[in-house]
Amino acid sequence: MTPFDYTRASDAAEALRLGASGTAAYLGGGTNLVDLMRETIARPDTLIDVTGLSRTIAETDGGGLMIGAAVRNTALAEHAAVRTRYPVLTRAILAGASAQIRNMATVGGNVLQRTRCTYFYDTDGSRCNKRVPGSGCDAIGGFSRGHAILGASEACIATHPSDMCVALAALDAIVHLRGAQGTRTLDLVDLHRLPGDHPEIDTMLEPGELITAIELPALPFAANSSYRKVRDRASYAFALISVAAALELDGDRITDVRIALGGVAHKPWRAFKAEAALSGGPATANAFRAAAEAELADAKPLNDNGFKIGLTTRTLTAVLGELAGAAA
């Protein structure tokens, strides 16, 4: 691990001042950043501890929730309003990691975690454009069972690891940011980038910009929501694929729906095509399956991960079927 300095920011203004150098990193729970530093993938010369900032969960004027970036994942999952009004988020967080990690990890840090691609972490033996731009990608042509089938490029086929972000994408979450130019917001679905020619750039954040909060808008039918994660083992493995969904019915017709997928792309994948195919239509297994197939029509499987297409289709169909039964 490269030597570094440590300082604790007393407020957001001080954090931004300290982070303006470009060689510093904001420290939340450290459950991903410290791993990257141990592997010398990340080499900040200063860690700015922001865990004392924005640690509240509050109601918004519009009836949603404002979640401070330093809120611990455990606190978010256990919050009464989250459990009753956005159960998909609680389920995603509980599926994401052990209790010890959830107790340390912060919301802002979870949103900004990097890929868990094994080639990315293999600093001694593998080429990785995300780790060393322009070096090549050994995952392409390598063992690709866990890699992307949507939105990948010739430069990178890695997937985003967060379970929480998949739920947030389905819930129309809004990211609140503060930087040198002031404050701004981004829809969470626009925060993360697809790899393109620059997979080393994970997000749309400006240098030194700080996540201050995540906002969940009022979404009444999100009370009928769920998250299902398919993985190789039950004990906190990363998702092969995952589905976050919320469904509203009027009789047997779908009046509103939100769907996001995990384990299939470089970012949490909002299933806009599937949502469009379902809106106003019947809540039937055939409709759910057709919507999944529409979303996956552009999937480009690799040697080892073609099974993800069928697995995603079956899982999405099952999750929507359960929600339809609950709504009815």
Side-chain angles (χ1 to χ4, degrees), residues 108-120:
N110 187 297
V111 169
L112 294 179
Q113 66 180 298
R114 306 199 71 190
T115 183
R116 304 302 174 123
C117 172
T118 54
Y119 295 92
F120 173 75

Side-chain angles (χ1 to χ4, degrees), residues 28-88:
T31 56
N32 184 213
L33 177 58
V34 173
D35 284 345
L36 295 174
M37 292 173 66
R38 287 196 186 106
E39 299 297 330
T40 67
I41 296 170
R43 300 181 180 88
D45 62 10
T46 303
L47 291 184
I48 305 164
D49 190 332
V50 294
T51 55
L53 313 181
S54 55
R55 300 183 67 169
T56 61
I57 302 174
E59 297 276 344
T60 66
D61 292 340
L65 290 179
M66 190 70 72
I67 304 160
V71 169
R72 304 289 182 179
N73 285 11
T74 294
L76 181 60
E78 293 179 349
H79 194 276
V82 175
R83 293 173 63 186
T84 56
R85 290 155 51 185
Y86 309 96
V88 61

